[in-house]
Structures are given as C-alpha cells and as structure tokens.
Amino acid sequence: LFAVLEAYHPRLQHEFRLLKSKQLLLEDQDCIQQGANGEWSRFEITGIWNNLTSEGCSKHTPVACAMLQEMKERGPVAILRLGYSAMQPRAWIKPHYGMTNTKLKLHLGLEIPPEGCAVMRVGRDMRSWVEGKVLLFDDSFEHEVFNTCDVARVVFQVVLRHPEIPSDPAYKAVVRDAH
C-alpha cells in the first residue's frame, strides 16, 4: 500500500489544491484542535456528505478514488476511510487517541514544510512527515500534532483496519459501532 500511495503523490497533491481552490475543505469539528491559533480542515473522500459515487467515493476526487480502487485490488487489507487533512500555520491538534485499537493510519506527506516545524507525537515518539513518503501509526496511542511553521502542513490519510486484530462477527460489530 505504501508504494501505491507514494506513486500517487503528485496527482493527490494536485487534487488537494483543486479542492482547496473550490473551497471544499471543511473545518474540523472534533473539538480537539486549538482553534485560536490555527485551523485544521479536511475533506473525507468516503464521507457520506461528499456526493458519493455508487462505489462510495466522492465525485470531487477522481484521483483519490482511482487510487482507492487500486489499493482494494492489491490486497486483503480493509480500508475504512480516507481523506485530505490540512493544518494551517500555528495549529495544534490536542492530545487524543482513537476509540479502538482496530485501526492503523497512513499519512502521505503532500505539502510538508521543510523546516521540521510540523511534527506529530505518538506516545513518547516525535515524528515529522516527509513529502511524498508514508508515515504509519496506531492512533489508539495518545497522539497530537503541532504545526509551528509559517505554511500549511497537508497529508493524505488512509485509515485501515488493523490486519492483526481478529475478524470474527462479534468483534466486527464492536468495530462498526466504534467507527
């Protein structure tokens, strides 16, 4: 999956810029960002509010939808959702954690400031994104994101079902309720 994401980097970057120019990014409403200092906005490709195709993908994102199809064809990993995520300068996503350990997140760096001023803390580890490369993390660990840069940090996020978690029917019901 990493290779597919990284191969799509330039096209996803262009598609993000089109979404931004059309003002289709929505300010995040999760109450985990520090709103006074900067904005965190997203576009959920698989969000039901985004004019979905019959395949469950936004009509506004043909590049991301083609990539999603290619990822599905390549392997048995369940893709739960995907989207663009942009943090404006001085934004802070407060410490939080996912509701379940059944998900892993992939972030492809689309527009990454060169100064190393956009960082994510997961547990005790600090990481920076690299433009065109994938960063993998388990969001069931406490994490937060800082963008102390003068420019935005943009990633493309893929949320996967953790491949090492049992997939019996009773467990799937819990996962579905927690998602």
Side-chain angles (χ1 to χ4, degrees), residues 112-113 115-121 126-131 135:
I112 306 302
E115 305 88 26
C117 49
V119 296
M120 175 170 51
R121 180 188 60 79
M126 299 292 282
R127 297 281 188 261
S128 292
W129 295 266
V130 175
E131 191 161 315
L135 178 72

Side-chain angles (χ1 to χ4, degrees), residues 87-161:
M87 284 185 70
Q88 296 307 312
R90 314 287 177 257
W92 173 42
I93 299 174
K94 299 175 187 178
H96 65 287
Y97 51 89
M99 296 171 49
T100 174
N101 66 346
T102 62
K103 297 183 278 184
L104 296 175
K105 292 190 175 182
L106 304 177
H107 281 186
L108 172 66
L110 293 182
E111 295 182 5
I112 306 302
E115 305 88 26
C117 49
V119 296
M120 175 170 51
R121 180 188 60 79
V122 179
R124 294 182 179 153
D125 294 330
M126 299 292 282
R127 297 281 188 261
S128 292
W129 295 266
V130 175
E131 191 161 315
K133 298 295 179 189
V134 174
L135 178 72
L136 167 71
F137 70 101
D138 179 339
D139 87 331
S140 68
F141 290 91
E142 183 182 79
H143 57 285
E144 64 185 314
V145 181
F146 303 90
N147 182 5
T148 60
C149 310
D150 292 327
V151 295
R153 182 241 51 182
V154 180
V155 298
F156 186 84
Q157 176 175 267
V158 178
V159 181
L160 307 172
R161 186 175 190 298

Side-chain angles (χ1 to χ4, degrees), residues 80 99-100 102 161 165-179:
L80 302 174
M99 296 171 49
T100 174
T102 62
R161 186 175 190 298
I165 301 294
S167 60
D168 62 70
Y171 198 80
K172 284 184 180 179
V174 173
V175 173
R176 190 171 39 255
D177 291 343
H179 179 68

Side-chain angles (χ1 to χ4, degrees), residues 1 6 19 26 35 45 47 70 82 88 91 94 109 138 149 168:
L1 296 179
E6 290 173 357
L19 291 170
L26 300 175
I45 282 101
E70 186 174 336
L82 58 157
Q88 296 307 312
K94 299 175 187 178
D138 179 339
C149 310
D168 62 70

Side-chain angles (χ1 to χ4, degrees), residues 15 19 22 24 26 43-62 64-65 68 82:
E15 186 169 77
L19 291 170
K22 294 176 181 177
L24 293 174
L26 300 175
F43 186 92
E44 295 289 334
I45 282 101
T46 52
I48 59 171
W49 55 90
N50 279 331
N51 198 12
L52 302 182
T53 66
S54 59
E55 290 82 30
C57 200
S58 174
K59 292 179 181 179
H60 298 292
T61 55
C65 295
L68 174 60
L82 58 157

Side-chain angles (χ1 to χ4, degrees), residues 23-36:
Q23 300 180 336
L24 293 174
L25 299 172
L26 300 175
E27 184 173 344
D28 190 79
Q29 302 295 317
D30 283 346
C31 301
I32 59 173
Q33 66 176 320
Q34 182 66 40

